[in-house]
Amino acid sequence: MKLLRVGPAGAERPALLDEEGTLRDLSALVPDVDAGLFADESALERVRAAVGARVLPALDPSGLRIGPPVGRIGKIVCVGLNYHAHATELRVKVPAEPVLFLKAPDTVVGPEDTVLVPRGSEKTDWEVELAVVIGRTARYLETDEQALASIAGYAVANDVSERAFQMERGGQWDKGKNCETFNPLGPWLVTADEVPDPQDLRLRLWVNGQLRQDGSTADQIFPVAQVVRYVSQYMTLHPGDIVNTGTPAGVAMGQPEPKPYLRAGDVVELEIDGLGRQRQVLKEA
């Protein structure tokens, strides 16, 4: 299933995109696409049954905003330097263990919402990423099979980053990762049963129409299952939590000088096979 949330920011309602590409209203069946839905198998079965019975009312998508596909996110765990080619372009060693950092849930916006260039920014960067949405509590997982079984679905994420804030202003990475609007998510949550192999997905990103990133999750240093299992050793993952699994080569920071960092007016578009496409226009904060 392709689950999503539509409507004004803060007042989104649950919806579904069916196999014919018709937008369907889920609000009579479930209150939201969130931890409550992922943790309630009976609610998911009601949705599946309604899809099969073709009884869900259609929605007119004209002028309808698509919001983040997950509501009330608990936490966002991110993996840095998780693609071989990305580590190569930055001329850094492949990490021996996953590099983890956190993004605040309030960085999440819809897939076509405005991204704000922070005040004082000179090095705002892009990062197309596969986002994992947790569906079952994951705590001290022992196997990759357990890790995959804890995943509700997958989505497209843009892990927007301000490199000067991140790398040059002291402390950890938080200042460069948690500016407002720095985690566009969606358009859909595609349930895990529709993604048979998360290590066989193509990721691409364009800036002003120029292809900048073109990679595959096959290049991940730490595959999805290993990442989820690893994270569960250090923190509990709850339904509705997000894991951003890293970005392939092609970020601005890895380009020759002058590096093409983002400015107000730039247009970023990104997609992952089967998971949909995003488009953001940047503006000054």
Side-chain angles (χ1 to χ4, degrees), residues 196-257:
D197 185 1
Q199 303 312 136
D200 187 26
L201 298 173
R202 186 181 182 188
L203 312 87
R204 289 180 289 181
L205 181 145
W206 297 259
V207 179
N208 300 326
Q210 181 177 355
L211 182 64
R212 290 293 190 177
Q213 291 184 277
D214 188 357
S216 169
T217 52
D219 188 48
Q220 286 185 336
I221 299 166
F222 306 104
V224 166
Q226 185 178 350
V227 164
V228 173
R229 179 166 55 83
Y230 181 88
V231 172
S232 79
Q233 309 307 308
Y234 299 96
M235 62 191 83
T236 301
L237 292 170
H238 298 282
D241 286 351
I242 306 291
V243 181
N244 287 344
T245 60
T247 197
V251 298
M253 186 168 61
Q255 304 297 311
E257 297 289 352

Side-chain angles (χ1 to χ4, degrees), residues 59-274:
L59 291 170
D60 182 359
S62 301
L64 190 60
R65 171 184 173 270
I66 299 176
V70 181
R72 287 179 284 280
I73 297 167
K75 59 180 170 289
I76 305 167
V77 184
C78 304
V79 185
L81 299 170
N82 195 31
Y83 283 73
H84 290 279
H86 181 47
T88 298
E89 73 173 344
L90 298 183
R91 298 180 177 86
V92 297
K93 291 183 179 180
V94 171
E97 297 188 33
V99 176
L100 303 182
F101 61 92
L102 298 177
K103 294 189 90 161
D106 65 6
T107 61
V108 173
V109 293
E112 297 191 357
D113 287 348
T114 300
V115 167
L116 298 175
V117 178
R119 295 179 184 180
S121 169
E122 296 182 355
K123 297 182 179 181
T124 295
D125 207 345
W126 59 81
E127 294 189 16
V128 58
E129 303 205 8
L130 173 66
V132 171
V133 182
I134 300 299
R136 299 180 187 174
T137 299
R139 178 177 177 270
Y140 295 115
L141 300 178
E142 297 180 353
T143 67
D144 289 351
E145 290 74 19
Q146 290 175 334
L148 292 174
S150 73
I151 295 172
Y154 301 90
V156 182
N158 187 358
D159 176 21
V160 186
S161 308
E162 211 301 337
R163 302 301 189 186
F165 296 178
Q166 176 188 355
M167 310 296 290
E168 302 170 19
R169 302 299 296 270
Q172 300 181 354
W173 288 4
D174 293 11
K175 292 191 291 290
K177 293 288 188 174
N178 282 279
C179 304
E180 58 182 330
T181 74
F182 263 28
N183 203 130
L185 187 68
W188 321 307
L189 181 156
V190 179
T191 52
D193 59 297
E194 293 195 10
V195 184
D197 185 1
Q199 303 312 136
D200 187 26
L201 298 173
R202 186 181 182 188
L203 312 87
R204 289 180 289 181
L205 181 145
W206 297 259
V207 179
N208 300 326
Q210 181 177 355
L211 182 64
R212 290 293 190 177
Q213 291 184 277
D214 188 357
S216 169
T217 52
D219 188 48
Q220 286 185 336
I221 299 166
F222 306 104
V224 166
Q226 185 178 350
V227 164
V228 173
R229 179 166 55 83
Y230 181 88
V231 172
S232 79
Q233 309 307 308
Y234 299 96
M235 62 191 83
T236 301
L237 292 170
H238 298 282
D241 286 351
I242 306 291
V243 181
N244 287 344
T245 60
T247 197
V251 298
M253 186 168 61
Q255 304 297 311
E257 297 289 352
K259 300 182 188 298
Y261 288 113
L262 296 168
R263 299 287 184 264
D266 286 342
V267 177
V268 177
E269 299 170 278
L270 54 153
E271 66 181 18
I272 300 177
D273 286 351

Side-chain angles (χ1 to χ4, degrees), residues 19-87:
E19 293 182 354
E20 288 76 36
T22 300
L23 191 64
R24 302 285 180 180
D25 190 358
L26 290 181
S27 56
L29 286 180
V30 296
D32 205 350
V33 180
D34 60 5
L37 176 60
F38 306 143
D40 186 352
E41 187 58 39
S42 63
L44 289 169
E45 287 303 321
R46 288 197 302 273
V47 173
R48 293 188 182 99
V51 172
R54 298 179 177 272
V55 296
L56 294 171
L59 291 170
D60 182 359
S62 301
L64 190 60
R65 171 184 173 270
I66 299 176
V70 181
R72 287 179 284 280
I73 297 167
K75 59 180 170 289
I76 305 167
V77 184
C78 304
V79 185
L81 299 170
N82 195 31
Y83 283 73
H84 290 279
H86 181 47

